[in-house]
Amino acid sequence: MKNSEESTIDEQEDPPLAELPSISIVVPNYNSGSTICATLQSLIEQNYPKLEILVIDGGSTDNSVEVIKQFEPYITWWVSEKDSGQSNAINKGFAKCNGDIVNWLCSDDLLAPDALHTVGKYFAESPDIDVLVGRSQIEYRTDNLGQPLKGANFWMTLFGRVLPLGLGSRPMILDAKKQIYIKAPTLKQIDLISVASPIHQPSCFYRRKLLDRPQPLDESYEYTMDIELFNYFYSRGVRWRVIEEVLSIAPVSGDNKTSIAGVKATYELEQIYKTYTKELIPLTYWHRRLRYPLERFIKRHRSRLWLYIVGPVWVALTLLLSPFYGVEKVWALRWTKWI
């Protein structure tokens, strides 16, 4: 990885309109008529002068098409037809994009106010940037959805104080009562992207020229196609910049695709790891058989007693694997999100 930076933009006038990059946002949708209105509204309210919105509907049977038609004056291109899944829909959108900078926004996510002006300003003033990663505001809309932050990760955080690696694995708490957190990735975490992606997809923007393979998104991945794409970028040695601004808002209801992926996502994560990391015996082999069962046990048995009994075993296995794979890498590999 080269020329990577963590920064926040200086308070100064926006670049002239001619210098701002054009931005394309693909919005994949299927039967999300209840949420896509807010998603599209968050894009329109950006008031970004060079914005291209492309909506790819998978042949919804609810009121999605009616909602999309309400926003037609603001949409560059849209289609409603059956597809083979979310990755296929996003690839359709990418094929129609003309923007210098691209991203996709799922129809239950939102862009933060002024996010695109922030993105455009960074890319305009730093032509060396390939991928820009911002923070994300995670809002749990259902009670206890945020509990894994307090449960399965509790003992890992506890022992992380004994073995401080500076990986910042836990989100920053913005409002504990309302279950609102800020996910703030770091460059150090991105260096470990093969084992744990710190990036929240709606807050990651990149140059369209990076989408240079026949299928920008690997359509064999149903849940972790964004993580696979980021690993692809990293394998190419692109130039990353991490910024402090919040670029997206993610309401987590429990019905989100990511929320229900479960163990199926972990098999995709294993495949990504093996694709981009060449090891005789992949670290994921040991994690699947030794540590992941402990993580699942802790998730299902939330007693503090079990935390103190099982937690040290997880840590001991981590230390045992560390001389062979590196302590930071082994420590960062956790599938607690995908129990």
Side-chain angles (χ1 to χ4, degrees), residues 111-327:
L111 284 189
D114 296 322
L116 293 186
H117 283 276
T118 299
V119 171
K121 192 173 182 179
Y122 270 108
F123 276 107
E125 297 179 351
S126 303
D128 59 317
I129 300 174
D130 291 318
V131 183
L132 182 74
V133 182
R135 295 181 175 183
S136 183
Q137 183 170 310
I138 314 296
E139 300 181 357
Y140 291 91
R141 299 292 175 86
T142 304
D143 289 344
N144 297 323
L145 274 177
Q147 195 160 345
L149 298 173
K150 303 173 184 177
N153 281 335
F154 168 82
W155 44 275
M156 297 181 190
T157 303
L158 178 65
F159 285 94
R161 295 171 184 164
V162 179
L163 189 67
L165 299 176
L167 296 179
S169 59
R170 290 185 59 142
M172 298 184 297
I173 299 175
L174 189 64
D175 188 326
K177 186 176 181 180
K178 294 183 179 180
Q179 296 192 107
I180 299 176
Y181 306 86
I182 298 296
K183 187 171 185 178
T186 66
L187 288 175
K188 188 170 185 178
Q189 290 174 323
I190 290 175
D191 280 335
L192 296 168
I193 200 166
S194 64
V195 291
S197 174
I199 301 169
H200 189 66
Q201 174 271 315
S203 291
C204 183
F205 295 77
Y206 32 89
R207 298 193 183 276
R208 182 164 56 90
K209 66 181 182 181
L210 297 181
L211 304 177
D212 58 356
R213 51 186 183 177
Q215 287 187 344
L217 289 186
D218 188 329
E219 295 183 14
S220 66
Y221 291 92
E222 183 178 358
Y223 301 103
T224 60
M225 61 287 227
D226 54 333
I227 297 175
E228 194 281 331
L229 181 66
F230 301 150
N231 273 269
Y232 173 68
F233 289 162
Y234 190 88
S235 72
R236 295 188 54 198
V238 303
R239 293 159 293 190
W240 302 79
R241 177 165 292 181
V242 174
I243 62 176
E244 295 181 0
E245 289 87 345
V246 172
L247 298 181
S248 67
I249 301 170
V252 181
S253 64
D255 297 323
N256 309 67
K257 186 176 179 182
T258 302
S259 301
I260 62 176
V263 68
K264 290 180 287 186
T266 68
Y267 291 107
E268 294 187 0
L269 294 174
E270 280 187 281
Q271 183 58 46
I272 293 170
Y273 184 84
K274 288 186 284 188
T275 299
Y276 292 100
T277 306
K278 305 303 179 183
E279 295 169 343
L280 184 60
I281 303 178
L283 173 59
T284 51
Y285 173 90
W286 302 112
H287 183 72
R288 165 74 62 192
R289 289 156 180 80
L290 300 178
R291 300 191 308 170
Y292 185 53
L294 298 179
E295 293 176 1
R296 299 186 75 182
F297 182 90
I298 288 295
K299 174 72 176 289
R300 295 167 181 176
H301 301 80
R302 299 183 183 277
S303 165
R304 186 62 62 92
L305 174 64
W306 284 117
L307 290 174
Y308 284 107
I309 293 176
V310 178
V313 178
W314 188 96
V315 173
L317 291 170
T318 299
L319 296 177
L320 184 64
L321 293 169
S322 294
F324 303 98
Y325 298 95
V327 63

Side-chain angles (χ1 to χ4, degrees), residues 2 14 19-20 27 29 48 65 78 91-92 106-107 115-116 128 131 136 138 148 196-197 224 230 250 294-295 300:
K2 53 188 177 181
D14 289 341
E19 295 180 10
L20 285 173
V27 181
N29 177 75
Y48 189 76
V65 171
W78 73 277
N91 280 337
K92 283 183 185 180
C106 292
S107 53
L116 293 186
D128 59 317
V131 183
S136 183
I138 314 296
S197 174
T224 60
F230 301 150
L294 298 179
E295 293 176 1
R300 295 167 181 176

Side-chain angles (χ1 to χ4, degrees), residues 33-50:
S34 62
T35 58
I36 189 173
C37 179
T39 297
L40 293 174
Q41 195 67 41
S42 79
L43 285 169
I44 294 166
E45 290 176 355
Q46 297 291 313
N47 292 316
Y48 189 76
K50 295 183 178 180

